[in-house]
Amino acid sequence: MGEEAKITDSERVTEWEIGLPTGDDITPLSHPLIPTELASAFSISPETYRTLLDVNRASNDTISAILGGSGGSQALSMVVEPDEEEEEEPDRENGSGTESRKLRRLDSAEDADSVMLNNDDSSARALKRPRLVWTPQLHKRFVDVVAHLGIQNAVPKTIMQLMNVDGMTRENVASHLQKYRLYLKRMQGFSDNAPSSTDQLFASTPVPQRLQDSSAGGCGGGSAGHSSHAPIPMPYPPPPHMMAMLGMPHHVFNNGGFQQRDWSSGFSYPHGLTPSGDK
DNA sequence: CACGCAATAT
DNA sequence: TATATTGCGT
């Protein structure tokens, strides 16, 4: 009576550990995350440079935030679209030389409105987040959570909480969930897996065999053996520092449309980061 | 208020 | 195209 708890616990830990990148996989915070070409391609100011002091301070901040529960500083990184303006890159790839500095024009307009570009740690209020990009990794997390919750209990709020990806809102999940449900419905017409060429994302993600239904009172089957009464079946591994890719142009160097394995592979955020900076 | 879904907007 | 937003019924 209750011996299952132990097993499930260790299993959870194992799964959790598997999901974690090793120290070698993680790019140290003190390193420039974005290659110069990428940075310039995306109009990201090269001010990603951080000294060890900065990193240290950020770490302390995070730790205190975790320990104290309420940290206070919430650094939501985002790339703000000026308007409907497009920027062109006159030149890129400067042959030799590690230093290709490109300073953005400094606006001296401190009039009234029309200045919302600077956002560091100030209260993120009424600020618009960039579109969330559902990478295969994010989608996998999503599918996993939905599968573990059971379609019945998979509601946006819960999914959002279990995914534990900062920057993600309930609306983000709701929107994606809606599309996901449509995809599932479409697919059920076919007896077996018939990955349509459309919906690359969904097609490339293994859908849980059958949409489990738990907590419906009828546990007579016996297939799903892990029905816990806890409201939260499985809190997801705290993302190392995985930020939802926000504001990334879609025409980046995407691979053929196949999954990537590494969390650290192909992940680069504009600038600034919020490790578990709860909302 | 949160949810689900269709329609619409960006 | 992929997401976001909105509107409406529940």
Side-chain angles (χ1 to χ4, degrees):
Chain A
M1 319 191 180
E3 55 268 332
E4 315 157 348
K6 252 187 185 173
I7 298 180
T8 26
D9 261 8
S10 50
E11 280 181 353
R12 275 198 213 119
V13 172
T14 303
E15 200 164 343
W16 182 74
E17 282 179 347
I18 290 178
L20 290 178
T22 71
D24 293 333
D25 294 333
I26 304 179
T27 303
L29 287 174
S30 50
H31 282 199
L33 289 171
I34 312 176
T36 332
E37 324 156 278
L38 269 184
S40 62
F42 296 150
S43 306
I44 298 172
S45 42
E47 294 176 319
T48 331
Y49 304 133
R50 294 167 207 279
T51 67
L52 283 180
L53 272 180
D54 289 326
V55 174
N56 212 344
R57 197 177 70 83
S59 296
N60 283 336
D61 213 273
T62 302
I63 291 177
S64 60
I66 293 175
L67 293 181
S70 54
S73 90
Q74 201 171 9
L76 258 189
S77 76
M78 41 179 61
V79 175
V80 181
E81 295 181 2
D83 248 323
E84 312 181 66
E85 231 174 293
E86 282 213 344
E87 289 224 47
E88 278 231 325
E89 223 36 61
D91 77 73
R92 47 161 149 151
E93 252 204 49
N94 237 334
S96 50
T98 31
E99 45 195 317
S100 39
R101 284 243 164 174
K102 190 127 45 105
L103 258 183
R104 288 215 144 223
R105 42 178 156 189
L106 229 85
D107 280 340
S108 50
E110 58 173 340
D111 252 351
D113 39 64
S114 88
V115 176
M116 303 173 68
L117 271 174
N118 207 337
N119 172 32
D120 202 21
D121 69 323
S122 53
S123 41
R125 258 172 218 179
L127 276 183
K128 261 193 166 152
R129 308 170 178 268
R131 292 161 68 104
L132 173 71
V133 177
W134 285 91
T135 64
Q137 284 78 20
L138 263 186
H139 180 62
K140 193 197 181 295
R141 253 178 127 89
F142 169 83
V143 170
D144 270 351
V145 170
V146 169
H148 282 253
L149 278 177
I151 292 293
Q152 315 281 327
N153 299 326
V155 293
K157 211 179 200 173
T158 314
I159 297 174
M160 175 194 68
Q161 289 168 352
L162 286 186
M163 284 183 72
N164 196 21
V165 174
D166 59 13
M168 187 170 329
T169 69
R170 188 177 62 85
E171 323 249 22
N172 287 137
V173 179
S175 185
H176 194 66
L177 181 62
Q178 186 177 6
K179 210 187 156 193
Y180 184 61
R181 282 183 171 140
L182 286 178
Y183 168 76
L184 291 183
K185 205 171 190 180
R186 275 233 148 212
M187 270 225 131
Q188 285 192 357
F190 296 69
S191 49
D192 250 2
N193 269 345
S196 173
S197 39
T198 36
D199 296 311
Q200 318 178 15
L201 228 197
F202 294 150
S204 62
T205 315
V207 170
Q209 306 179 345
R210 267 216 167 168
L211 314 175
Q212 300 188 16
D213 179 353
S214 71
S215 93
C219 279
S223 33
H226 60 288
S227 5
S228 44
H229 298 66
I232 299 182
M234 179 240 255
Y236 242 72
H241 44 272
M242 181 181 88
M243 244 277 278
M245 266 176 131
L246 299 165
M248 274 284 213
H250 32 278
H251 282 122
V252 237
F253 319 89
N254 214 339
N255 51 25
F258 256 71
Q259 307 195 27
Q260 304 170 147
R261 229 313 184 173
D262 247 46
W263 301 76
S264 47
S265 176
F267 270 119
S268 38
Y269 15 54
H271 68 323
L273 55 161
T274 310
S276 314
D278 235 6
K279 303 174 272 321

